[in-house]
Amino acid sequence: MAAWLVGLNTLKIQPFPLPSLGPHDVRVRMKAVGICGSDVHYLKTMRCADFIVKEPMVIGHECAGIIEEVGEEVKHLVVGDRVALEPGISCWRCNLCKEGRYNLCPEMKFFATPPVHGSLANQVVHPADLCFKLPENVSLEEGAMCEPLSVGVHACRRAEVGPETNVLVMGAGPIGLVTMLAARAFGVPKIVIVDVDDNRLSVAKQLGAYGIVKVTTSLEDVGSEVEQIQKTMGSNIDVTFDCAGFNKTMSTALAATRCGGKVCLVGMGHGIMTVPLTPAAAREVDVVGVFRYKNTWPLCLEFLTSGKIDVKPLITHRFGFSQKEVEDAFETSARGSNAIKVMFNL
């Protein structure tokens, strides 16, 4: 069985026929699946950016489970292993894959990105090399959190942050918070985080933000808010992660970041933005794009195992896998409010 997106605002638990097991595949019983903002977007609008749901699709891509069957060529996993799944299958033939930038592969097959089925199901079949064995002290829920955490880790690598980098994070939603946690694990000394929501800012403070700043959604406030952000940091802002991706957040990021610094665009709130690039270019502020992640699961698991990152406080709501609970879970996630990460326990 699986949770199928069958129409606008309509999810149904229905049978899910599995593909046959290839020699390099494993069959995994799903145990923990998180809800991502993109999942909610598909439910509410039947599209996310340029990806459009045209036929019923199984939803979900943040996941971990237990191996139930292995293909004949699989050597590094056995039945009973607990694994976190990397949800994107690239072609490994194109130039981008050969360069190691497989996250940009044009043939990428990614869980719950139309027309590829996702992982909110009792079982899935997946390539063994995209299944990462969980250390004993890492739970299945934490394994599922490797997916959103990977976005933060990849963003930190793209921006080349470290112990001499002061960081601003725009947005204290799930991705903003994991980016903050990743930046701290990379050694960043001071992180200021900005949001419109008091509750999310208080969570950010509890998780170790150096400073928090509440902002508005009005573009007219950018100037005064940049002053407030810079004052809160008390020193230069070397790198800003925009984890929301709106005209306002990007305009603030470009203005707040020091000359010669970097702005990393992680969130994709607006498909098309109008932002003051020319003044930023005149100060040689680099704009860096981030799309998903690559080669991040081993480092995420190292951070979780060592205790450098604790994702458990981000999991605020848990649901089982019945028709009503699936509907309630997505409504809880869509409402936002005090919900950060909503997790299914299957």
Side-chain angles (χ1 to χ4, degrees), residues 189-225:
K190 290 166 73 173
I191 304 168
V192 170
I193 194 160
V194 169
D195 203 279
V196 296
D197 185 272
D198 283 319
N199 179 63
R200 294 200 162 180
L201 286 172
S202 70
V203 171
K205 190 69 176 162
Q206 290 162 23
L207 289 172
Y210 173 78
I212 54 174
V213 179
K214 188 176 183 184
V215 294
T216 70
T217 55
S218 171
L219 273 165
E220 292 171 7
D221 296 328
V222 167
S224 60
E225 288 173 359

Side-chain angles (χ1 to χ4, degrees), residues 158-174:
R158 287 277 290 148
E160 300 176 314
V161 300
E164 297 181 337
T165 322
N166 291 321
V167 163
L168 170 65
V169 177
M170 307 296 300

Side-chain angles (χ1 to χ4, degrees), residues 281-336:
R283 296 188 300 112
E284 292 196 356
V285 175
D286 293 344
V287 178
V288 178
V290 168
F291 186 62
R292 293 175 180 157
Y293 35 68
K294 60 186 178 75
N295 301 316
T296 49
W297 259 253
L299 183 55
C300 287
L301 290 172
E302 169 59 32
F303 282 152
L304 294 174
T305 307
S306 64
K308 278 191 173 179
I309 292 180
D310 182 8
V311 290
K312 294 189 288 293
L314 300 181
I315 305 168
T316 52
H317 294 73
R318 292 173 173 83
F319 291 85
F321 191 53
S322 66
Q323 179 67 39
K324 182 176 188 311
E325 285 179 292
V326 167
E327 291 170 0
D328 289 349
F330 271 87
E331 277 312 305
T332 300
S333 186
R335 269 199 310 272

Side-chain angles (χ1 to χ4, degrees), residues 10 18 94 109 143 168 174 242 267 280 292 333:
T10 310
L18 289 177
C94 69
K109 296 183 175 71
L168 170 65
D242 183 355
R292 293 175 180 157
S333 186

